Amino acid sequence: MLFFGYLKLYTLITFLILFALLLYVEYKNKLRFMYRFYRTYAALLIPFYLLCIFIKKQPQLVFNENATLKLNLFYLPIEVYFFFMGMLLVAIYLFEFFKSKKPDTHG
């Protein structure tokens, strides 16, 4: 996607950040949680989609067609789904990171 949308600012930023996050979490990180992340992402796509459709019907949210690839999936630009993936990955990574740093209080 970076190859096709390198001239589009929103597309470039979204996929570049997601690519960097995925590389870091998969290869540099010692925590192993990606199997849970993908299941969580798949489960949360339905509420995310419903919420985005509800918000998109409001006049406040307008996507600039010139900043996206103009490739829509269910009335939303394809970049939105990957932006959501990046936000969710950061949240789950931070949760797992702080959970692993929690001191043992059993003894």
Side-chain angles (χ1 to χ4, degrees), residues 102-107:
K102 186 171 77 170
D104 188 22
T105 59
H106 294 286

Side-chain angles (χ1 to χ4, degrees), residues 2-106:
L2 280 172
F3 178 75
F4 295 116
Y6 70 93
L7 292 176
K8 310 286 185 174
L9 187 61
Y10 179 64
T11 304
L12 178 70
I13 290 171
T14 299
F15 286 105
L16 194 62
I17 290 174
L18 181 61
F19 182 68
L21 281 169
L22 284 172
L23 280 178
Y24 175 75
V25 169
E26 283 286 347
Y27 299 111
K28 295 289 276 183
N29 184 26
K30 294 188 179 14
L31 301 172
R32 296 292 166 224
F33 61 90
M34 288 304 286
Y35 64 96
R36 289 186 302 224
F37 165 72
Y38 290 123
R39 282 190 275 165
T40 304
Y41 177 69
L44 288 178
L45 271 178
I46 295 169
F48 173 73
Y49 173 71
L50 293 175
L51 183 66
C52 279
I53 291 301
F54 176 74
I55 292 173
K56 188 169 167 54
K57 289 184 180 182
Q58 308 300 321
Q60 292 87 5
L61 181 66
V62 178
F63 290 106
N64 184 0
E65 291 293 325
N66 295 330
T68 66
L69 289 176
K70 298 178 184 160
L71 179 62
N72 293 338
L73 182 65
F74 301 118
Y75 306 108
L76 293 172
I78 195 80
E79 292 91 349
V80 173
Y81 297 100
F82 293 100
F83 185 76
F84 173 61
M85 180 185 270
M87 289 190 310
L88 187 64
L89 181 59
V90 167
I92 291 177
Y93 171 73
L94 289 175
F95 177 77
E96 292 291 331
F97 177 75
F98 289 121
K99 187 172 80 170
S100 72
K101 297 292 183 189
K102 186 171 77 170
D104 188 22
T105 59
H106 294 286

